[in-house]
Amino acid sequence: MKFINDIKALEALYGTPGAASTRKVVHRLTPLYRKWIMTSRYCVLTTVGPDGTDGSPRGDDGPVVLDLDETTLAMPDWRGNNRLDSLRNIVSDGRVSLMFMVPGSNTVVRVNGTARLTADEALRARFEQKGKHPATVIVIAISEIYSQCARATIRAGLWSRDDSEGLPTVGELLAEASDGEEGGTEYDAGWSARAAKTMW
């Protein structure tokens, strides 16, 4: 198999991007991009670190981020499995990307920027849920925002069908990965109770 290692050779396979592809990029939260992002309750956060990259799903009951100003977003980091993959990466290398999605819309809005991590009490308090605060907050300086064309979500029928029947459970995946030392049906049965304790 021959791989492409030259940018000019790559571009020759695709041609010149259309005007809309380049004109849609902004470098701050415009009113319409703000409306879109503040409607999103779910995004994927991608980080870069010394051990590689990490893509982490992020969701909340309401906007998944807050806007601190027109060039800054804040994302709470609610307690989870304590792997801290994304957070370790941010401490080492601040480059981040986010993909914001809204159920029912085939549009994806992308944000690229740099992030820092804070445990500032006043900022954490702004995300209070049921008396709890996130352990830390990711503060993102926006470099660029743009919409992604809808072809991928349309091709996938992302919001129009349910393909989940018959998929392995997390307990089954964990049992497979650990040669049966972790996971299994007991893990799945206790999931709801464990999640309820650490949801916020």
Side-chain angles (χ1 to χ4, degrees):
M1 182 184 303
K2 185 177 179 181
F3 293 99
I4 300 166
N5 298 308
D6 179 79
I7 298 297
K8 288 185 178 180
L10 171 65
E11 291 174 345
L13 294 171
Y14 288 89
T16 305
S21 297
T22 54
R23 292 296 302 275
K24 65 186 176 183
V25 179
V26 300
H27 305 285
R28 60 180 177 80
L29 277 173
T30 62
L32 293 181
Y33 272 123
R34 183 188 183 280
K35 180 178 181 178
W36 214 101
I37 290 172
M38 292 304 121
T39 301
S40 176
R41 294 177 288 119
Y42 176 82
C43 75
V44 177
L45 168 69
T46 301
T47 58
V48 182
D51 297 322
T53 61
D54 182 72
S56 175
R58 300 286 169 145
D60 222 321
D61 182 19
V64 69
V65 295
L66 291 182
D67 59 320
L68 301 184
D69 56 49
E70 66 177 11
T71 61
T72 313
L73 300 174
M75 173 184 288
D77 189 75
W78 295 104
R79 295 187 185 276
N81 57 22
N82 292 331
R83 282 182 54 106
L84 309 182
D85 297 311
S86 298
L87 305 187
R88 292 178 200 276
N89 283 351
I90 289 169
V91 170
S92 299
D93 185 330
R95 291 176 293 171
V96 297
S97 294
L98 302 100
M99 290 199 314
F100 292 92
M101 290 168 258
V102 174
S105 174
N106 285 318
T107 299
V108 174
V109 168
R110 299 166 64 172
V111 172
N112 295 321
T114 54
R116 291 184 293 173
L117 201 61
T118 181
D120 180 82
E121 291 186 13
L123 185 54
R124 290 169 54 220
R126 292 183 62 178
F127 295 95
E128 182 171 331
Q129 292 275 5
K130 300 180 180 178
K132 296 182 179 180
H133 299 164
T136 58
V137 176
I138 302 166
V139 179
I140 300 153
I142 297 167
S143 298
E144 56 184 7
I145 307 173
Y146 55 95
S147 60
Q148 177 68 39
C149 101
R151 291 183 183 91
T153 49
I154 292 171
R155 278 195 296 262
L158 190 60
W159 310 115
S160 62
R161 62 194 226 196
D162 182 348
D163 297 330
S164 63
E165 185 175 350
L167 286 178
T169 65
V170 172
E172 290 169 336
L173 293 169
L174 182 55
E176 178 186 62
S178 67
D179 294 324
E181 294 180 7
E182 300 285 346
T185 56
E186 289 186 11
Y187 183 91
D188 288 330
W191 163 246
S192 295
R194 289 194 307 276
K197 292 180 181 178
T198 58
M199 188 67 72
W200 309 115

Short mmCIF file of all heavy atoms in Angstrom, two decimals, residues 5 7 44 50 52 62 79-82 84 95 101 109 122-123 137 146 185 196:
data_model
loop_
_atom_site.label_atom_id
_atom_site.label_comp_id
_atom_site.label_asym_id
_atom_site.label_seq_id
_atom_site.Cartn_x
_atom_site.Cartn_y
_atom_site.Cartn_z
N ASN A 5 2.39 11.25 1.38
CA ASN A 5 3.26 11.95 2.31
C ASN A 5 3.58 13.38 1.87
O ASN A 5 4.47 14.01 2.43
CB ASN A 5 4.59 11.18 2.47
CG ASN A 5 4.37 9.79 3.05
OD1 ASN A 5 3.72 9.66 4.08
ND2 ASN A 5 4.88 8.77 2.39
N ILE A 7 1.81 17.18 0.82
CA ILE A 7 0.60 17.99 0.87
C ILE A 7 0.10 18.33 -0.54
O ILE A 7 -1.11 18.28 -0.81
CB ILE A 7 0.83 19.29 1.67
CG1 ILE A 7 1.19 18.96 3.13
CG2 ILE A 7 -0.41 20.19 1.62
CD1 ILE A 7 0.10 18.23 3.89
N VAL A 44 -17.76 16.45 21.69
CA VAL A 44 -16.56 15.61 21.82
C VAL A 44 -15.37 16.54 21.97
O VAL A 44 -15.17 17.44 21.15
CB VAL A 44 -16.38 14.68 20.60
CG1 VAL A 44 -15.09 13.88 20.74
CG2 VAL A 44 -17.57 13.74 20.46
N PRO A 50 1.67 14.02 25.46
CA PRO A 50 2.91 13.31 25.16
C PRO A 50 2.71 11.84 24.82
O PRO A 50 3.56 11.24 24.15
CB PRO A 50 3.74 13.48 26.44
CG PRO A 50 2.74 13.82 27.51
CD PRO A 50 1.65 14.56 26.83
N GLY A 52 0.01 10.75 23.13
CA GLY A 52 -0.89 10.64 21.99
C GLY A 52 -2.08 11.56 22.12
O GLY A 52 -2.03 12.58 22.80
N GLY A 62 -28.18 20.79 30.04
CA GLY A 62 -28.14 22.20 29.68
C GLY A 62 -26.91 22.41 28.83
O GLY A 62 -26.29 21.45 28.40
N ARG A 79 -16.87 14.68 37.94
CA ARG A 79 -16.12 13.47 38.33
C ARG A 79 -16.62 12.26 37.55
O ARG A 79 -17.81 12.08 37.34
CB ARG A 79 -16.25 13.22 39.83
CG ARG A 79 -15.60 14.33 40.65
CD ARG A 79 -15.58 14.00 42.13
NE ARG A 79 -15.07 15.12 42.89
CZ ARG A 79 -13.78 15.38 43.09
NH1 ARG A 79 -12.89 14.58 42.56
NH2 ARG A 79 -13.41 16.41 43.81
N GLY A 80 -15.67 11.43 37.12
CA GLY A 80 -16.00 10.22 36.37
C GLY A 80 -15.13 9.08 36.84
O GLY A 80 -15.10 8.75 38.03
N ASN A 81 -14.36 8.50 35.90
CA ASN A 81 -13.56 7.33 36.25
C ASN A 81 -12.17 7.68 36.76
O ASN A 81 -11.38 6.80 37.09
CB ASN A 81 -13.44 6.40 35.04
CG ASN A 81 -12.85 7.11 33.83
OD1 ASN A 81 -12.17 8.12 33.95
ND2 ASN A 81 -13.11 6.58 32.65
N ASN A 82 -11.85 8.97 36.82
CA ASN A 82 -10.57 9.46 37.32
C ASN A 82 -9.35 9.04 36.49
O ASN A 82 -8.22 9.09 36.98
CB ASN A 82 -10.35 9.05 38.79
CG ASN A 82 -11.30 9.76 39.73
OD1 ASN A 82 -11.73 10.88 39.45
ND2 ASN A 82 -11.66 9.12 40.81
N LEU A 84 -8.45 10.78 33.85
CA LEU A 84 -7.91 12.12 33.63
C LEU A 84 -7.13 12.25 32.32
O LEU A 84 -6.25 13.11 32.19
CB LEU A 84 -7.00 12.56 34.80
CG LEU A 84 -7.58 12.43 36.22
CD1 LEU A 84 -6.56 12.95 37.23
CD2 LEU A 84 -8.89 13.17 36.35
N ARG A 95 -3.50 22.41 23.27
CA ARG A 95 -4.29 22.37 22.04
C ARG A 95 -5.52 21.48 22.19
O ARG A 95 -5.41 20.34 22.63
CB ARG A 95 -3.43 21.86 20.87
CG ARG A 95 -2.34 22.83 20.45
CD ARG A 95 -1.48 22.22 19.37
NE ARG A 95 -0.71 21.09 19.88
CZ ARG A 95 -0.01 20.27 19.10
NH1 ARG A 95 -0.02 20.42 17.79
NH2 ARG A 95 0.68 19.26 19.65
N MET A 101 -22.74 18.93 18.98
CA MET A 101 -23.87 18.32 18.27
C MET A 101 -25.16 18.62 19.00
O MET A 101 -25.17 18.77 20.23
CB MET A 101 -23.66 16.82 18.14
CG MET A 101 -22.55 16.46 17.17
SD MET A 101 -22.08 14.73 17.27
CE MET A 101 -20.57 14.85 18.21
N VAL A 109 -20.92 21.81 14.80
CA VAL A 109 -20.12 23.03 14.93
C VAL A 109 -18.80 22.68 15.61
O VAL A 109 -18.78 22.00 16.65
CB VAL A 109 -20.88 24.13 15.71
CG1 VAL A 109 -19.95 25.28 16.08
CG2 VAL A 109 -22.04 24.65 14.87
N ALA A 122 -14.95 30.22 42.42
CA ALA A 122 -16.05 31.03 41.89
C ALA A 122 -16.51 30.51 40.53
O ALA A 122 -17.72 30.46 40.26
CB ALA A 122 -15.60 32.49 41.77
N LEU A 123 -15.59 30.10 39.69
CA LEU A 123 -15.97 29.57 38.39
C LEU A 123 -16.64 28.21 38.53
O LEU A 123 -17.66 27.93 37.88
CB LEU A 123 -14.74 29.47 37.48
CG LEU A 123 -15.01 29.04 36.03
CD1 LEU A 123 -16.06 29.93 35.37
CD2 LEU A 123 -13.71 29.03 35.23
N VAL A 137 -12.51 23.13 36.02
CA VAL A 137 -13.15 23.70 34.83
C VAL A 137 -12.08 23.87 33.76
O VAL A 137 -10.96 24.34 34.04
CB VAL A 137 -13.81 25.06 35.14
CG1 VAL A 137 -14.38 25.68 33.86
CG2 VAL A 137 -14.91 24.90 36.19
N TYR A 146 -16.29 27.02 13.26
CA TYR A 146 -16.92 26.87 11.95
C TYR A 146 -17.87 25.68 11.95
O TYR A 146 -17.74 24.77 12.76
CB TYR A 146 -15.90 26.75 10.82
CG TYR A 146 -14.87 25.65 10.97
CD1 TYR A 146 -15.06 24.40 10.38
CD2 TYR A 146 -13.70 25.87 11.69
CE1 TYR A 146 -14.11 23.40 10.50
CE2 TYR A 146 -12.74 24.88 11.81
CZ TYR A 146 -12.94 23.65 11.21
OH TYR A 146 -12.00 22.66 11.34
N THR A 185 -21.78 -9.31 34.17
CA THR A 185 -23.18 -8.96 34.44
C THR A 185 -23.33 -8.19 35.75
O THR A 185 -24.20 -7.31 35.85
CB THR A 185 -24.05 -10.22 34.47
OG1 THR A 185 -23.51 -11.14 35.45
CG2 THR A 185 -24.09 -10.90 33.11
N ALA A 196 -25.40 7.22 39.49
CA ALA A 196 -26.21 8.20 40.22
C ALA A 196 -25.37 8.94 41.26
O ALA A 196 -25.60 10.11 41.56
CB ALA A 196 -27.39 7.52 40.88
#
